[in-house]
Amino acid sequence: TAGITQAPTSQILAAGRSMTLRCTQDMRHNAMYWYRQDLGLGLRLIHYSNTAGTTGKGEVPDGYSVSRANTDDFPLTLASAVPSQTSVYFCASSANPAGARSEKLFFGSGTQLSVL
Amino acid sequence: GENVEQHPSTLSVQEGDSAVIKCTYSDSASNYFPWYKQELGKGPQLIIDIRSNVGEKKDQRIAVTLNKTAKHFSLHITETQPEDSAVYFCAASRANTGNQFYFGTGTSLTVIP
């Protein structure tokens, strides 16, 4: 089924270690996003990409980096994980960036990350 | 930036009753208001959305209303069923701001059979 694939589905990570969360979409969407979901805080935007080759910072970018080498892939990297990065991470995409006509977000199934 | 508040945080209703979830937003320039349903262990999924040039939109048992003057919008689910049990998120965005969707903190809806 077409959509967004995230990997891994869950991970336990020691503090100080690095990790890359993978995200691939097959809908040829221009825009992609990374959100973190924390209880009581809803979904918060970490980084986004309007199109391949460009990225931007969201609401909570510190401690995370992204790249967009092509249309389909948008990996999220934690260079040196800290316990406060324990969260559920969702990758999403939309045909065009927010503000354009087709803003509907399509989400992946999420990655549960625990940093100990 | 935009601030979206969502109430209630939890809601329990009897099967067949109606459920209403309310959101307020702060940025009067916001013009797109989607609602997402998140089932356990899954990512959020768009269920209905409304743009600022429309006051109400309906899709079978769900409807969304928008009051631009008061800056609030609501999700209405009628004839609730157990499969409606999920977490619901509202969001707001506006044109020409880059890529920011501002989400509410979510409402956990439980439909009691």
Side-chain angles (χ1 to χ4, degrees):
Chain A
T1 308
I4 295 180
T5 302
Q6 288 186 238
T9 54
S10 65
Q11 182 73 46
I12 298 173
L13 188 66
R17 300 296 294 269
S18 65
M19 180 175 183
T20 295
L21 280 61
R22 300 185 298 279
C23 175
T24 299
Q25 55 107 354
D26 60 4
M27 297 176 283
R28 307 303 293 172
H29 282 175
N30 286 313
M32 297 187 74
Y33 315 79
W34 275 104
Y35 286 88
R36 59 177 290 173
Q37 183 177 27
D38 303 287
L39 194 63
L41 296 176
L43 292 152
R44 294 181 293 168
L45 183 65
I46 304 170
H47 285 287
Y48 65 89
S49 169
N50 280 343
T51 188
T54 69
T55 62
K57 294 181 179 180
E59 185 181 357
V60 288
D62 294 343
Y64 306 95
S65 63
V66 292
S67 62
R68 188 89 183 275
N70 56 61
T71 297
D72 299 340
D73 301 301
F74 191 43
L76 176 73
T77 297
L78 288 68
S80 181
V82 296
S84 61
Q85 292 178 308
T86 293
S87 186
V88 180
Y89 292 85
F90 287 100
C91 180
S93 71
S94 62
N96 293 294
R101 184 150 184 86
S102 301
E103 305 100 331
K104 295 180 182 180
L105 285 178
F106 294 81
F107 285 87
S109 297
T111 295
Q112 171 71 63
L113 178 66
S114 298
V115 182
L116 306 178
Chain B
E2 175 65 279
N3 181 41
V4 177
E5 296 189 356
Q6 183 173 347
H7 300 281
S9 57
T10 61
L11 179 61
S12 293
V13 299
Q14 292 289 333
E15 182 178 358
D17 288 349
S18 296
V20 180
I21 302 170
K22 299 181 179 180
C23 289
T24 62
Y25 61 98
S26 61
D27 187 348
S28 58
S30 289
N31 60 1
Y32 175 64
F33 307 93
W35 285 89
Y36 288 84
K37 176 183 181 181
Q38 185 178 25
E39 297 177 341
L40 194 63
K42 298 183 179 179
Q45 185 173 14
L46 179 73
I47 55 171
I48 195 167
D49 56 9
I50 191 168
R51 300 183 189 277
S52 59
N53 59 347
V54 176
E56 182 175 1
K57 184 176 180 181
K58 192 173 182 179
D59 183 4
Q60 299 182 2
R61 295 187 297 107
I62 61 173
V64 56
T65 58
L66 171 64
N67 183 325
K68 288 175 57 180
T69 303
K71 289 188 283 190
H72 67 70
F73 56 112
S74 300
L75 177 71
H76 304 254
I77 306 174
T78 59
E79 300 173 22
T80 53
Q81 302 169 2
E83 53 264 38
D84 294 329
S85 296
V87 178
Y88 292 82
F89 291 96
C90 62
S93 74
R94 65 180 175 95
N96 304 318
T97 59
N99 291 64
Q100 191 74 329
F101 286 84
Y102 295 88
F103 284 87
T105 51
T107 296
S108 178
L109 173 65
T110 300
V111 179
I112 303 166

